[in-house]
Amino acid sequence: MRCIWTWAIFCAAVCGAADPSVEFEPLFREAAARLERQYGADSPRTAAAWRDLGLLLLENGKPAEAERWLRRALAVHQQQSDDGLEAARDREALAAALLAQGDGAGAEPLYRQALAARIELQGEKHPETADLRVRLGMLLEAKGDLAGAERQYRSSVEAVPDGDVLERLSGLAEARGDLDAAEAAAKQALALREKTLGPQHPKTAAARNALGLLAMNAGRLDEASTQFENAIAAYRAGPGLEREDAAFALDNLGNVRRAQGRYDEAKALLEQALAVRRAVLGDEHPDTATTLVNLGGLYHVQGKLAQAEPLYRRAIAIQQKQLGANDPVVGQTMFNLGHLLAAKGDRAGAVEAFRQAAAILEQAYGPNDEMVVEIRGLLAR
């Protein structure tokens, strides 16, 4: 069976390469039907072909139909196959189809059953076991079970070191306020990236950027500056600066320079980040709005209120359109605008901006949020 099916896939690939108008789906359907005629509907060989068809349908954006084929494959493998990995593969594929339809509750037990089978048959250290743990961890993280996600990520990375998983662990540690653990995981990720990918790879540069952010948030501006500078140098020497992730590093270094009082350098970096984000992401992207806010903040601290205000207002318009009027990011930018309007003597405008900011942020974070408390104090004056 495997030779027949591999040949069918090979033919599909060759036809697709020769003529882009040739669709793979009919070829996969034909191969599955041929195997069913030859071996029967209860054959593991047919079930394997159904799984391959289901995976292709999933890739083609047809998760509901993929689910039907994958359920058929799983039913046959459960009853007819002596290879427990076949049913595990079916469950993993079926879980992916359910996730594509928004059914995380249905996907989770399938992933757990598949994981148990892989641990039993392949062991904890097998790369496929580690990969499945990551997928289960991502599902758990998405539903808010951060502790469960962390356990899966940690088991995965202990078996097979992986920079992406280490970065996820760093993010989870930061979210729970354990900055030391976040930094330790981020440093491991950077070391692994440098070893496996080299110092100029974009993922290595991104790892440096992540470490820089942790240092910046901890107030270690010189350390943050070094990491951002090295990240930008890696992008410049490698894939170039006309990239979304490079713009992130430029933006971050601009914020550090602002905090250091090096305003001219900050302006140049933020303007460069804005130009890249506009070129790569477009004028209406939320990240473009973020750089508008940061550039506006630079003008704000310099007392250049007339230059800062239109940048804040433009950012708010983008954020409201792209993220929704009640997104906390809108509230934070509205908070900045309120301070600016107060500084220019527009009390009525400032009060209205603060009221909007307070309503948005209180809805998102509750009445005891630090920024909400500050705004309420300002409004009470």
Side-chain angles (χ1 to χ4, degrees):
M1 181 281 300
R2 185 50 55 187
C3 290
I4 293 173
W5 187 234
T6 301
W7 178 249
I9 295 175
F10 173 75
C11 289
V14 170
C15 291
D19 183 356
S21 68
V22 173
E23 294 184 1
F24 287 79
E25 202 174 295
L27 298 173
F28 275 57
R29 291 184 190 277
E30 179 184 349
R34 185 170 64 251
L35 288 170
E36 184 175 355
R37 289 193 299 269
Q38 183 174 357
Y39 296 107
D42 60 350
S43 168
R45 299 180 178 186
T46 304
W50 289 341
R51 182 177 63 228
D52 289 338
L53 175 58
L55 287 168
L56 179 66
L57 291 167
L58 181 60
E59 185 178 343
N60 287 349
K62 301 177 181 179
E65 186 182 358
E67 179 188 346
R68 293 194 292 272
W69 287 107
L70 293 167
R71 288 194 184 279
R72 291 182 69 184
L74 176 58
V76 171
H77 280 136
Q78 284 179 304
Q79 295 176 8
Q80 303 294 335
S81 178
D82 295 329
D83 186 352
L85 286 177
E86 289 294 342
R89 295 183 184 106
D90 294 336
R91 288 189 173 95
E92 292 170 33
L94 180 55
L98 294 177
L99 281 174
Q101 299 174 79
D103 185 5
E108 184 178 340
L110 290 166
Y111 273 152
R112 291 191 182 279
Q113 292 162 15
L115 179 60
R118 287 203 180 275
I119 291 172
E120 179 184 354
L121 298 171
Q122 295 177 303
E124 283 279 8
K125 302 297 185 182
H126 195 281
E128 291 180 357
T129 304
D131 178 70
L132 181 52
R133 282 196 181 279
V134 174
R135 282 179 278 156
L136 176 58
M138 292 171 68
L139 187 155
L140 295 173
E141 185 177 354
K143 79 168 194 176
D145 182 2
L146 302 188
E150 183 171 352
R151 285 193 296 272
Q152 296 299 333
Y153 294 152
R154 197 166 297 285
S155 294
S156 173
V157 82
E158 286 172 358
V160 181
D162 183 275
D164 290 337
V165 183
L166 286 164
E167 287 170 2
R168 286 187 173 276
L169 282 170
S170 177
L172 289 177
E174 184 180 13
R176 69 169 186 269
D178 189 347
L179 298 185
D180 289 340
E183 191 167 345
K187 286 180 176 178
Q188 285 182 274
L190 175 58
L192 187 60
R193 299 289 196 206
E194 288 185 318
K195 179 180 178 180
T196 59
L197 300 175
Q200 295 176 2
H201 194 279
K203 285 194 172 184
T204 305
R208 288 196 176 280
N209 189 56
L211 265 175
L213 274 172
L214 289 168
M216 183 171 70
N217 293 338
R220 304 194 307 269
L221 297 184
D222 290 343
E223 182 182 336
S225 177
T226 298
Q227 293 293 356
F228 294 144
E229 287 170 353
N230 289 339
I232 292 167
Y235 285 122
R236 184 178 286 113
L241 292 176
E242 297 297 315
R243 300 168 50 94
E244 180 179 355
D245 46 2
F248 191 25
L250 289 165
D251 191 279
N252 289 334
L253 184 56
N255 288 333
V256 168
R257 291 290 182 263
R258 180 182 66 186
Q260 293 172 326
R262 296 160 64 174
Y263 296 141
D264 289 343
E265 293 176 54
K267 181 174 181 290
L269 286 160
L270 291 171
E271 287 180 342
Q272 187 177 5
L274 182 61
V276 173
R277 281 180 160 164
R278 280 175 165 160
V280 175
L281 302 174
D283 288 338
E284 300 288 318
H285 195 279
D287 288 350
T288 303
T290 296
T291 304
L292 288 171
V293 172
N294 292 335
L295 187 57
L298 172 64
Y299 289 134
H300 193 166
V301 299
Q302 293 178 277
K304 300 177 180 179
L305 305 184
Q307 292 171 266
E309 183 176 349
L311 296 175
Y312 283 158
R313 293 191 182 278
R314 176 61 183 146
I316 289 169
I318 296 170
Q319 291 164 349
Q320 288 175 328
K321 178 179 178 181
Q322 300 297 335
L323 304 175
N326 294 319
D327 191 276
V329 172
V330 177
Q332 291 161 7
T333 309
M334 198 72 73
F335 174 76
N336 293 345
L337 178 62
H339 274 292
L340 182 148
L341 294 173
K344 66 180 280 191
D346 183 357
R347 178 174 174 76
V351 167
E352 179 58 27
F354 283 141
R355 282 177 176 165
Q356 291 185 52
I360 294 169
L361 295 171
E362 185 169 344
Q363 180 180 346
Y365 302 128
N368 297 321
D369 176 74
E370 182 178 344
M371 194 175 292
V372 173
V373 172
E374 180 181 347
I375 295 171
R376 295 298 183 201
L378 291 168
L379 291 172
R381 293 179 183 175

